[in-house]
Amino acid sequence: MQIKRKLVLPGEEVAAPEEYLVEQGAYLDGVFRASVLGRAVYDPKAHTAVVEPIRGDNYPHNGDIVYCVVTSKGVRALSARCFAKESKNGVEDLKYPVTAYIPPQLVDGRVGVGDYIRAKVVSSHGPPFTLSIRGPSFGVIRAICPRCGSAMRRRGGQLVCPNCGAVDARKIAVGFYV
Amino acid sequence: MKQPPVPLLVEGKRADGRAPDQMREVKIEVGVVSNADGSAMVSYGNTVAVAAVYGPREMHPRHLSLPDRAVMRVRYHMAPFSTKDERKSPTPSRREIEISKVLREALEPAIFLEQFPRSRIDVFIEIVQADGSTRVASLTAASLALADAGIPMRDLVIGVSVGLINGVVVLDLNGLEDNYGEGDMPIGYMPNLGRFVLLQLDGAWTREQFAEALKLAIKGAEYVYGKAREALKAKYFEVAEEVAK
């Protein structure tokens, strides 16, 4: 069976709930209706459909992976400013940067002020978003030397400043450090 | 009562030659403001409204944010050169502030604001040329701009106005009919859901006239919705072609 597609506008009927389960980009109001302008893609075999938005809202949501810069470090949390997020098409800039914080229980290692981090949004209550850098692929992707402000290089398990020679440790995002 | 400079309705024809149930020429274009996240230009005859949407974005000042949904801010403004007679003061007037509030309240039920807590969505509407029915043209433009910005919505909101001239219910009032008509009813309608989101009324209407006006408004809204659909398809022509294959 062939996968069917159609262009839908917000409010247009996507499918009947008896026939398809629409997993994304739609809401149930008797029938599934599109909530965004996008392409409805139907899988007749699995009886599922999705509405892929043509233009996303370019805003972080719960579960998204974001890139941020740590702006301050407090006793209760780290503050950060997010400027990009990962999407299907790679990393895209957020048109409007958003503030976020990382509570200590979700930090799981050392992070310095000025560091660039890869983190996951774990809150659904909007800005300031709660982020988590738990897990091997989350953490610092570019560390800043606490002494001179240069970008630090990885050497073995440590980070070394090529400018002043300072040595420090960070919770590195494995495979993402630049 | 003020006397119109020309008769508004003669033998079933209006001053501009339209039938009572006829809309003016409707032109819709989407994506007209490149700096905005979403934008649209809607013209009902000589009335031209441009809407631009920015957001969702973080709410500043933060104490104005709402914990469970986004705050929507709508600014309706008439350009100083938009009117026929004297220059309109660019200062927001009482009328503009009121229309901004009315439009916000008409758009809010159509948007999934609860998906963006503590955030804001800004809608700026500029009337470039005014010839009656500016608030309904603005409503259509704003809803298309929101859809163009990728903001999740329950349905598009289409605005149409209905009026009363010499006891006859007419669709889509122009400036002359707006000023000299007996009644005026701007309506916001969600065509797919069949729900009204805006209904204002002035003048004295009978129950029958009111029912007829609603029917006429739905007919007008469905016509405008068809045009809006075409405009969005034209903007996303490549996507439309791709899904047609």
Side-chain angles (χ1 to χ4, degrees), chain A residues 119-138:
Chain A
K120 191 175 190 177
V121 180
V122 290
S123 68
S124 52
H125 54 63
F129 290 99
T130 311
L131 304 180
S132 168
I133 54 167
R134 290 191 123 182
S137 60
F138 300 108

Side-chain angles (χ1 to χ4, degrees), chain A residues 5-13 27 29 33-40 53-59 61 81 95-99 124-129, chain B residues 35-38 54-58 62 112 115-119 147-156 192-193 195 225 229 232-233 235-236 239-240 242-243:
Chain A
R5 289 159 191 267
K6 96 179 173 189
L7 185 70
V8 286
L9 265 58
E12 278 189 351
E13 189 178 330
Y27 67 99
D29 177 66
R33 293 185 183 278
S35 61
V36 286
L37 173 70
R39 333 173 170 77
I54 294 171
R55 285 184 80 172
D57 53 33
N58 195 241
Y59 201 62
H61 292 278
R81 192 148 185 82
K95 190 172 177 190
Y96 307 106
V98 290
T99 54
S124 52
H125 54 63
F129 290 99
Chain B
N35 286 347
D37 295 323
Y54 294 82
R57 51 186 172 179
E58 199 167 339
R62 219 176 257 174
F112 287 98
Q115 292 188 12
F116 308 101
R118 296 183 195 176
S119 310
D148 184 41
I151 290 169
M153 297 171 80
R154 288 181 178 85
D155 199 352
L156 290 180
N192 288 301
L193 300 178
R195 289 176 201 159
Y225 181 72
R229 206 183 142 74
L232 283 166
K233 272 195 169 175
K235 161 104 195 263
Y236 298 105
V239 181
E242 180 202 316
V243 295

Side-chain angles (χ1 to χ4, degrees), chain A residues 88-103:
Chain A
K88 269 185 193 171
N89 311 321
V91 179
E92 59 180 38
D93 284 347
L94 295 176
K95 190 172 177 190
Y96 307 106
V98 290
T99 54
Y101 71 95
I102 316 170

Side-chain angles (χ1 to χ4, degrees), chain B residues 163-185:
Chain B
L164 203 58
I165 299 169
N166 304 341
V168 177
V169 181
V170 296
L171 181 63
D172 188 27
L173 300 179
N174 62 24
L176 190 72
E177 293 165 339
D178 207 2
N179 290 337
Y180 297 100
E182 293 155 19
D184 165 21
M185 188 178 358

Side-chain angles (χ1 to χ4, degrees), chain B residues 16 43 65 70 168 194 210 237:
Chain B
D16 57 4
S43 57
S65 66
V168 177
F210 181 76
F237 178 73

Side-chain angles (χ1 to χ4, degrees), chain A residues 11-26:
Chain A
E12 278 189 351
E13 189 178 330
V14 178
E18 296 86 356
E19 200 178 358
Y20 284 98
L21 179 66
V22 186
E23 292 164 334
Q24 185 201 322

